[in-house]
Every structure is written in C-alpha cells, then in structure tokens.
Amino acid sequence: MVRYEVRCENAQQRYIQFTAVFEQVAELDWLHLELPSWRPGRYEIGNFAKNVKGFKAYGQNKEALHFEKTSKDSWKIATKGQQHIQISYSYYAAELNAGSTYLDPMQLYVNPVNCFFYDAQNTEQAYHLQLHLPADWQIASALNFDESQTAEISNFDRLADSPFICSAQIERRSYEVAGTTFHICFNEQRMIPWERVLQDFEKFTARQIQDFGVFPSSHYTFLIQALPYAAYHGVEHLDSTVIALGPSCDIFGNLYTELLGVCSHELYHAWNIKSLRPAEMLPYDFKRENYAVTGLIYEGITTYMGDLYLLKSGVFSPEQYLKELSKQVQKHLDNPARFSMSVAAASFDTWLDGYVPGAPGRKVSIYTEGCLLAFYVDFRLRKATQHKIGLEQVVKSLYYNFAEQNKGYTLADYQYTLENLSGESFAAFFQDYVSGTCAYEALLQEAFDFFGLTLKQTPSKSYAEARLGMKVAQVGKEWQVLSIFPGSPADTGGLAIGDFIIGVNGLRATPSLDNWLAFYENQNKTLLIERSGQLLERFIPEVDRHFYVTHQVLQDVDLLASQQKAWLNWAQ
Ligand SMILES: [Zn+2]
C-alpha cells in the first residue's frame, strides 16, 4: 500500500505539495521510485520530473534518508533497516490543458500520470489517496472519493489513468445508457443548457454502445474544463475523459459542434486505445517511447468514427458532418508531405515531434491521414459486402479478439480482419497507402461516388494563396509567410517561410497585402521583404494556375438509387 497525501497551500504559487508513504520496504536495500516520462494519449516524451521540486526521503523515525537519482526521472532511496519510508516533494502545476496538472486559488486539477511516483518493482501496489482541500470545494473524477476526500485505487495503472478536478465551481448531471451511468461535469461553466446537452450526449453514447454491444467500464465521466480563452483539447482515459475548451462564452454557441466532436472522439477511445491497444502499448511502458506504426487505427479510426457517430445518431446533420470531413480532406490535400512520409512512419515519429508544426513539409498527421483512410476502408467494406459490413464491425471484431483476450494487435492483424470480413485483399492498400506514400485522391473519389458525394473545389478568396501560392498572416504592419505551395510563384520567386513582406512594387503593403497584390493582377511583381534582418527584393512571376484550392465535400442533389441505399446504410 502506498499512502499519498495532496495539499495545495499557497495555491497562487502553483506548487502542489505531495507526501507518500511506501510500506513493506524492510527487505530492500534500495527502493526504486519512478515518475512516468510520458502520458498515454500524447505519444511523446513529457519529462514531468522537470516540475518536481525539493524531493526528500525520510525513515520511520523521521530521519532523513540518503537517496540518489539514477535517471532523469528515477530515484533510489537507501531503505536498509526501515519498515516504511516517506517521500515529500512539490510539483509545479502552471499549465492547463486536457492532459496536464494545474493549481491556482480556484482549482486543483491533477492528472496523476504527471506527478505520482510508483515503485518500479511493485507496480501492482494499491494506493490510498487523501486530499486536503478547502471546505467548499467538490471533486469531479471517475475515482470514488468519500466525504473525507479519500479514495482507494487498486494499482498504479488505474491511478495514472484517473484524473480529478477539485473546485467550488463544478456543475454536474448524469444520464444512463444500457445500464452504464455517464456523468458530465463542467468546471467554471455558467448557463449550461442541460436539456440539450444531455439529449445529444445520450444519443451518441447509445449509438456507440449499440455497435460494440458492450461498454468497457461500469461508469464514465466527462470532465470539461471550460476556459475563458481559446482552447481545444481532449485526453482519453478508460472511465473518464478531460476536455479543455474555450472561450467558455462560445461553448454552447460556435463551439458546440467542437464540444460534441471531441466528446464523441474521446468516448470512442474507451474502446479504441484504452481497451483495444497496439501490442507495443500493452502494457504501457511509462519510462520510454512506445513506438507503434498503428496510429491510423488508434487515432485515425477514432477521428473518423467519433464524427461519424454524431451523424449516425442524428446529433449532426449531413451538412455538419460533411463540413468536418471536408476539413480533413483540405488538410490532406494542402500538405505536400503526403508524397514523402507515410501515415505509418508518422505514427512512429509522434515520439520525435508529433505535436508541434515542425520542419515545413516533412510530416503528415495520423489524425487526418488515418481518418481519410478509415473513410476509404469503410467504403471498401460496404461495397464488398453489399452494405452488410462496415468499419464499425471491424473494430468490434478487433475489440473482442484482442482487447477482451488481453492481447495487443499489429498492423497485420488489422489487415487480416479487414480481409476476413470483406473477402477482399487489402495488400496493395497497406503497401501503397499505409506504409507507402502514393497519392490517394482517386480512392477518395471512388468512395465519394459510392455515397453520392461530390468534392467541390473553389479557388481561395485570398490572392496571396490562390495566385501566388503562399499563406500569410499579419504581424504588426507587415505580412509573414506561413507556408508556400511547392512549385508556386512564391516558391519559384524565392520567398521563404518566415519572410516578412513589406511592400509591393515599391509601395508599402498596408493595410491589406491582398488588395495590393490584386491591384497588380496578372502583372509581375517585385516584393520587398525582410529576412533575418536583411532587406531583399524578390521578383514574383504570375502564372495561370490556382493554389490552395478550397475543398468541400457535398451531398449530391439527385442521388441514384444505389447511392441513396449506400448513404442510408452508412449515415444511419
Ligand atoms: Zn484521440
């Protein structure tokens, strides 16, 4: 048993105070304590130990014990002659996102994987957790805290997967689907239209459970951090999820589709990644990279199915759903890296730089590519089986054959399941589009035709984007180049990402660069730019071609009978 206590004195300083007693250490010369190096849901090294301050160890008579660090986030403590030992430390909690740990005078929010230690030789030890909170604070969590703010947790894995939010501003409601209770907890959100929220959440929850036939947990909690500034982030857990969304004044207005989208996505993760896992992550190894090439399954399929379930359950209209699909198509077609990096390679490389923009044109997204390839696979399955089998049955089959058997899957298992259920070979698909970098517009077109959809292309309204092939953003009086379309006039004319555009043909480009570019329509232009402190002129040609085309997936007005059938089978 590990007995943890958590205090938040001087909360404005953002340090949380932890003490922990590790029992039954008498047999050991050294107790090896570990802090995780990463957190599930974000497949990159997080180095949470950088937030640990003032680590100390004490013996049973409160005497200081000798300890040493053995790696950046591993400690060993001399325990000879001790029955139990205590450690104490503070954790700096100043970052608020869906996977972080955060403290201010209004709330304590803990993602235990960031800040709780475990005994490397005994990860199955139970934890007794005691919080010390202000009297008017409540606790929102999938953990079962009693009135004295204590909870019992069976082992470190469970603890690491169980975030909690403590504040005086929690509003909650519950609903039930197929015998499972679902809780929705908002922190710091005012004027919640509960009736609408409960109705919509119940619909997408019921539709997901209907397809799987079972929910992997006996209860589930949506923990929603409503923030006063722009935010959009969600992190999955087995019996809960944390969503950070803002600004909170827009959550039930412009951001409501985002709220539904991220919640449906995270709920689907309860099956797909929290239960059904790639072999490399079963169990999670918290100390090092868990490289896997299957991100197109655990994030791609989740991105695709999360939104599709909003359509299938009637929460999204076809227009709302197709708008989300269009965004993925747009990101895919705008990214030239699709010709040089496969989605399998991108999955492996999330551990390198998966969550930052990174080197321009170097990588693709497991979310975007995985979503579109899932859409194509769903179409292939439905076509091959005359609408009898869809992607939902493939994931269900994987769930029963792997998650329920406590086995991890590989890319080959996914291929086998697709082939087994469809009766068709997917060998070329995996070779060319999963592990390869072949263009797949034609594949998407086949799927669009099948469901009665059209990909509408319109030129960008921005002259800089449409005619010169560059995306720009205003910084002060100047315009900074954010991206350049390969082969476009901006590219061949010698502009670079990061350049500041100051003037066009000898005139200052204010207040609108686009208006000045359009003023010289179809004429060659000389741009004055600033690059690393140097003022340079660049000659930009005009060509008869459009760049950064806007792509929209729309439903055809007149559907063939076969398309009508395909749409209804897919969308309902
Ligand atoms: Zn996800």
Side-chain angles (χ1 to χ4, degrees):
M1 170 79 81
V2 184
R3 296 178 177 278
Y4 246 99
E5 296 194 42
V6 180
R7 291 179 172 79
C8 35
E9 291 153 11
N10 300 321
Q12 74 285 355
Q13 292 171 358
R14 308 282 167 84
Y15 272 102
I16 307 169
Q17 296 86 39
F18 288 93
T19 60
V21 174
F22 287 81
E23 299 175 335
Q24 295 163 341
V25 298
E27 304 290 304
L28 306 172
D29 286 339
W30 296 94
L31 174 66
H32 292 267
L33 294 185
E34 305 280 354
L35 201 63
S37 307
W38 66 283
R39 62 167 183 80
R42 182 157 287 219
Y43 307 101
E44 66 174 357
I45 296 299
N47 285 330
F48 312 124
K50 67 190 170 193
N51 295 317
V52 171
K53 186 180 86 161
F55 183 94
K56 291 192 180 74
Y58 303 96
Q60 58 211 27
N61 299 317
K62 307 275 180 222
E63 72 277 32
L65 294 181
H66 171 74
F67 65 86
E68 295 169 17
K69 278 189 86 166
T70 55
S71 80
K72 61 185 164 54
D73 36 29
S74 309
W75 282 252
K76 69 174 186 178
I77 300 160
T79 50
K80 205 160 195 172
Q82 302 290 339
Q83 290 301 317
H84 59 263
I85 64 110
Q86 186 185 75
I87 61 167
S88 69
Y89 58 96
S90 300
Y91 188 89
Y92 187 57
E95 191 181 9
L96 208 179
N97 63 47
S100 67
T101 290
Y102 180 78
L103 175 66
D104 72 18
M106 303 294 284
Q107 69 163 310
L108 167 69
Y109 157 45
V110 175
N111 187 3
V113 74
N114 299 149
C115 52
F116 278 71
F117 281 82
Y118 63 96
D119 176 349
Q121 266 107 40
N122 192 2
T123 54
E124 284 306 309
Q125 269 188 111
Y127 281 71
H128 172 89
L129 175 55
Q130 168 81 64
L131 308 182
H132 299 275
L133 303 172
D136 61 337
W137 283 19
Q138 301 172 44
I139 306 171
S141 175
L143 290 176
N144 190 14
F145 282 93
D146 65 16
E147 283 185 2
S148 60
Q149 304 173 347
T150 64
E152 309 296 334
I153 303 113
S154 56
N155 59 38
F156 182 75
D157 262 350
R158 292 288 308 127
L159 174 65
D161 197 35
S162 304
F164 49 92
I165 300 174
C166 315
S167 96
Q169 304 293 336
I170 292 168
E171 280 223 51
R172 63 180 97 208
R173 294 284 192 283
S174 302
Y175 61 97
E176 202 172 305
V177 175
T180 303
T181 305
F182 293 81
H183 306 276
I184 308 174
C185 302
F186 280 95
N187 187 33
E188 306 246 357
Q189 178 65 50
R190 290 161 187 86
M191 293 180 279
I192 302 165
W194 277 112
E195 202 177 321
R196 176 168 150 221
V197 170
L198 287 165
Q199 205 174 48
D200 288 341
F201 274 60
E202 194 176 328
K203 278 186 190 165
F204 71 71
T205 305
R207 195 62 179 77
Q208 293 193 18
I209 294 178
Q210 182 191 320
D211 278 355
F212 278 104
V214 63
F215 190 68
S217 174
S218 58
H219 55 90
Y220 191 88
T221 306
F222 294 91
L223 298 161
I224 302 163
Q225 291 275 19
L227 304 177
Y229 47 85
Y232 174 78
H233 188 208
V235 174
E236 66 275 17
H237 302 278
L238 179 62
D239 50 15
S240 65
T241 176
V242 177
I243 312 293
L245 196 62
S248 48
C249 59
D250 284 339
I251 286 182
F252 303 107
N254 293 334
L255 291 179
Y256 191 57
T257 53
E258 315 283 322
L259 174 70
L260 294 167
V262 69
C263 286
S264 180
H265 176 109
E266 303 307 339
L267 183 68
Y268 194 81
H269 270 315
W271 290 276
N272 188 19
I273 196 59
K274 297 313 300 186
S275 306
L276 173 64
R277 291 223 201 129
E280 297 86 346
M281 294 186 201
L282 196 71
Y284 292 128
D285 180 347
F286 289 119
K287 294 310 291 183
R288 53 195 55 81
E289 294 85 350
N290 293 199
Y291 295 111
V293 295
T294 40
L296 85 156
I297 300 171
Y298 53 84
E299 286 302 348
I301 291 180
T302 303
T303 299
Y304 172 66
M305 294 304 292
D307 282 342
L308 189 62
Y309 273 117
L310 292 168
L311 175 68
K312 282 175 177 290
S313 61
V315 175
F316 272 7
S317 65
E319 293 72 30
Q320 281 175 308
Y321 172 73
L322 293 174
K323 202 172 157 191
E324 298 305 316
L325 187 63
S326 301
K327 286 182 196 167
Q328 303 293 354
V329 173
Q330 185 77 46
K331 283 190 219 165
H332 168 70
L333 294 175
D334 276 355
N335 184 1
R338 65 197 171 101
F339 301 115
S340 58
M341 182 185 269
S342 71
V343 67
S347 177
F348 197 88
D349 267 8
T350 60
W351 294 95
L352 179 63
D353 69 339
Y355 302 90
V356 290
R362 192 189 84 85
K363 64 183 177 184
V364 297
S365 157
I366 55 174
Y367 296 86
T368 296
E369 305 306 316
C371 170
L372 294 178
L373 293 175
F375 168 62
Y376 171 73
V377 162
D378 201 9
F379 143 72
R380 276 278 302 272
L381 291 162
R382 287 166 193 280
K383 188 174 175 217
T385 64
Q386 284 83 50
H387 313 290
K388 286 189 191 70
I389 301 279
L391 187 57
E392 67 275 17
Q393 276 96 331
V394 169
V395 183
K396 181 181 181 179
S397 169
L398 287 169
Y399 177 79
Y400 283 97
N401 291 331
F402 291 89
E404 294 262 297
Q405 314 301 323
N406 208 24
K407 270 173 26 189
Y409 65 79
T410 63
L411 206 51
D413 294 321
Y414 178 44
Q415 184 180 338
Y416 172 82
T417 308
L418 289 174
E419 293 178 345
N420 192 31
L421 290 180
S422 70
E424 287 191 352
S425 170
F426 276 76
F429 171 78
F430 276 83
Q431 190 184 321
D432 294 344
Y433 308 107
V434 175
S435 303
T437 55
C438 295
Y440 61 82
E441 286 97 322
L443 271 58
L444 294 176
Q445 192 56 54
E446 267 184 79
F448 292 146
D449 289 343
F450 184 73
F451 295 119
L453 302 171
T454 298
L455 185 63
K456 188 182 168 198
Q457 301 179 318
T458 39
S460 167
K461 290 192 177 70
S462 154
Y463 196 94
E465 287 180 20
R467 301 297 304 277
L468 303 187
M470 61 178 174
K471 292 195 179 192
V472 296
Q474 189 162 22
V475 180
K477 273 186 165 182
E478 284 143 24
W479 302 84
Q480 189 168 30
V481 179
L482 301 181
S483 61
I484 292 177
F485 201 96
S488 66
D491 185 19
T492 58
L495 293 181
I497 290 172
D499 285 349
F500 290 98
I501 299 172
I502 300 169
V504 182
N505 289 349
L507 298 169
R508 182 110 202 170
T510 54
S512 162
L513 173 64
D514 240 31
N515 288 356
W516 282 108
L517 293 174
F519 183 67
Y520 294 108
E521 189 176 7
N522 297 326
Q523 296 176 40
N524 295 328
K525 304 169 193 26
T526 300
L527 301 188
L528 176 66
I529 62 166
E530 192 228 299
R531 178 185 299 164
S532 308
Q534 290 184 311
L535 295 178
L536 307 167
E537 284 193 332
R538 287 291 177 266
F539 176 75
I540 309 297
E542 282 274 332
V543 294
D544 189 17
R545 204 185 134 190
H546 281 275
F547 307 92
Y548 291 117
V549 174
T550 301
H551 301 273
Q552 269 177 295
V553 183
L554 301 172
Q555 208 175 3
D556 292 342
V557 184
D558 296 313
L559 294 182
L560 304 172
S562 63
Q563 290 172 327
Q564 182 79 24
K565 188 174 179 190
W567 169 268
L568 290 176
N569 268 283
W570 178 56
Q572 290 186 358

